[in-house]
Amino acid sequence: PLIFHILKSTDPALWMGSSLTATCTVSPERGLHANTMYWTLNGKRLPSSTYGLLSTNGLSVTLHRLNGSQQQSGDNLVCHSRDGHVLAGSCLYVGMPPEKPVNLTCWSRNTKDLSCKWTPGGRGETFIKTKYTLKYKLRWYGRERECEDYSTGKRYTCYIPKDLALFTPYEIWVEASNQLGTATSDVITLDILDVVTTDPPDNVHVSRVGELEDQLTVRWGSPPALKDFLFQAKYQIRYRLEDSTEWKLVDDVGNQTSCRLAGLREGTVYFVQVRCNPVGIYGSRKAGIWSDWSHPTAASTPHSEPLQSGSCDPKSGEQNSTLRRELKQFFGWVRKHACGCSGMSIKLYDQWRVWLQKSHKTRNHVGKNNIPFISVPAQHRLHGYAQ
């Protein structure tokens, strides 16, 4: 076991599972006898079976198979006199050396800065204070630099706010160190333009589509921070019911800044969010990084008008019921076979829906020969479509 004199040694750093013997010796002039002294670890009195009487004024304690420190500031091992006064003390740092950091990834917001995050290697717990340092340099020239801003509020993250070069790759890595050793991550190489993300789309508006009770239109603005850059934006929409936590994703919006959602429930509140992926900034061939989602925007679909009762012609009511059932089956089949946004024109579909609702209000009697036929190619999708 490691042996140290508690009055003469610096605070020791020990591997987990190791043993330690500490000694506490007081001046004879103090008139204290070793039999009246005792030891505590983190405020808890240690059993006398761990003590060793060295002399009339010297007492040792031996600890075997040490566990990791309970706090990163160290475990307090203290020697006391009978009345509890502290005679001497030391901090024990018991833990493990760091393992190689992994999962190092970086992103740049609008090409102006760089943020990086990583994961500690192994199980991640060293039980003693471990320092992580993000380092970077231009690949072919330039001096090694250290990231200085670790105050982002997230662990294992560092922020470089400025003075970054474009069109030149960087080498980036993380070093981990504590009193028991050091470890270095793999070096990643990246160009700032290949890891650009942006702010969520702003001015997101969700509105009704006339009297159509199962549709909403979503419109938003392109990223203002990238207005001077050459790039191709991609967008995604997600929406959910007010009383649900499950989002439905519309993935094929492309670079349009509006989309119509269809197949919704009538008289229902929906929450909608949009996010952006700035693809191909200045010719970059990387996929780009999705922005955060915009703040949820709420809107409700209209309630459908109920069929008016009191018709004097029962045959007319039967025809109306049959027509509605057949049309419901037809459009249900269309919606079942597709979802997402596409570029097809749906003006005829809208006209038919408005016409149908007005026909209910005015009690027009529509026969089967008056049903408008809509030819919808199977590849077109109606659950969300561009305008």
Side-chain angles (χ1 to χ4, degrees):
L2 176 68
I3 300 175
F4 77 102
H5 297 283
I6 201 166
L7 296 180
K8 299 180 180 179
S9 175
T10 58
D11 297 335
L14 308 169
W15 283 63
M16 289 175 55
S18 60
S19 299
L20 170 143
T21 296
T23 64
C24 179
T25 304
V26 297
S27 172
E29 287 77 15
R30 300 194 61 175
L32 296 176
H33 196 280
N35 284 332
T36 66
M37 297 156 56
Y38 65 93
W39 292 89
T40 61
L41 182 63
N42 292 330
K44 184 178 180 179
R45 189 162 181 162
L46 296 171
S48 58
S49 60
T50 61
Y51 301 166
L53 190 61
L54 303 178
S55 63
T56 57
N57 59 338
L59 184 68
S60 68
V61 65
T62 300
L63 305 176
H64 296 288
R65 295 182 295 278
L66 291 168
N67 295 321
S69 293
Q70 297 180 18
Q71 49 197 20
Q72 289 194 345
S73 58
D75 293 329
N76 297 313
L77 181 64
V78 180
C79 176
H80 301 265
S81 63
R82 173 182 291 174
D83 56 8
H85 288 164
V86 175
L87 301 175
S90 180
C91 281
L92 306 181
Y93 298 96
V94 184
M96 299 292 292
E99 295 189 45
K100 180 175 75 173
V102 294
N103 301 328
L104 175 59
T105 57
C106 302
W107 62 96
S108 173
R109 187 172 297 277
N110 303 318
T111 74
K112 304 300 183 182
D113 56 20
L114 189 68
S115 297
C116 296
K117 65 178 181 180
W118 61 91
T119 304
R123 286 183 275 181
E125 180 59 78
T126 61
F127 296 97
I128 59 177
K129 186 176 182 179
T130 300
K131 180 181 180 182
Y132 291 90
T133 304
L134 180 77
K135 297 185 176 183
Y136 62 101
K137 64 181 289 293
L138 292 171
R139 185 175 187 181
W140 294 300
Y141 59 92
R143 61 183 180 86
E144 179 182 302
R145 305 178 67 179
E146 292 187 5
C147 179
E148 299 178 353
D149 187 355
Y150 296 88
S151 59
T152 61
K154 298 180 180 180
R155 297 187 68 187
Y156 313 123
T157 302
C158 197
Y159 175 67
I160 304 171
K162 58 182 180 178
D163 299 330
L164 294 165
L166 302 180
F167 306 104
T168 304
Y170 279 92
E171 292 181 344
I172 305 173
W173 66 97
V174 176
E175 293 181 357
S177 62
N178 61 25
Q179 292 169 287
L180 297 175
T182 61
T184 302
S185 72
D186 293 334
V187 178
I188 65 170
T189 302
L190 59 84
D191 190 308
I192 300 298
L193 296 177
D194 292 338
V195 293
V196 175
T197 186
T198 188
D199 303 308
D202 60 354
N203 298 322
V204 178
H205 297 284
V206 184
S207 57
R208 295 179 177 182
V209 184
E211 300 179 61
L212 303 181
E213 73 274 6
D214 70 338
Q215 298 182 30
L216 292 171
T217 293
V218 187
R219 293 185 174 87
W220 60 91
S222 58
L226 297 178
K227 61 184 177 65
D228 297 327
F229 288 83
L230 179 64
F231 74 103
Q232 177 88 16
K234 291 171 57 179
Y235 297 98
Q236 285 182 340
I237 298 173
R238 69 177 185 179
Y239 61 96
R240 65 173 175 85
L241 298 171
E242 180 182 25
D243 57 356
S244 173
T245 59
E246 182 178 350
W247 293 92
K248 184 172 182 180
L249 183 69
V250 181
D251 192 31
D252 59 348
V253 182
N255 64 348
Q256 303 163 107
T257 55
S258 66
C259 184
R260 187 180 296 187
L261 306 176
L264 307 178
R265 295 183 186 177
E266 63 181 55
T268 303
V269 175
Y270 283 87
F271 286 98
V272 181
Q273 292 179 295
V274 185
R275 67 176 181 176
C276 176
N277 186 335
V279 180
I281 291 184
Y282 288 138
S284 171
R285 297 183 179 181
K286 300 296 182 180
I289 299 175
W290 286 104
S291 72
D292 294 331
W293 290 100
S294 63
H295 292 296
T297 301
S300 63
T301 53
H303 289 278
S304 62
E305 292 290 338
L307 289 175
Q308 298 189 18
S309 59
S311 172
C312 295
D313 185 358
K315 292 183 179 180
S316 173
E318 292 174 2
Q319 291 176 345
N320 215 1
S321 176
T322 301
L323 170 62
R324 287 175 57 82
R325 182 170 61 254
E326 291 178 353
L327 291 177
K328 182 177 181 180
Q329 292 173 349
F330 172 72
F331 282 99
W333 179 88
V334 173
R335 292 171 185 159
K336 181 178 179 182
H337 287 76
C339 64
C341 285
S342 71
M344 71 169 288
S345 172
I346 57 155
K347 291 182 179 179
L348 187 59
Y349 172 71
D350 290 348
Q351 293 170 1
W352 173 80
R353 295 299 301 275
V354 173
W355 167 83
L356 180 63
Q357 292 178 3
K358 288 182 177 179
S359 70
H360 295 330
K361 296 177 182 178
T362 57
R363 303 182 184 178
N364 287 335
H365 305 320
V366 183
K368 290 185 180 180
N369 292 334
N370 294 329
I371 300 175
F373 178 76
I374 303 175
S375 178
V376 182
Q379 69 269 24
H380 289 303
R381 303 173 177 181
L382 289 180
H383 279 280
Y385 42 85
Q387 300 195 94

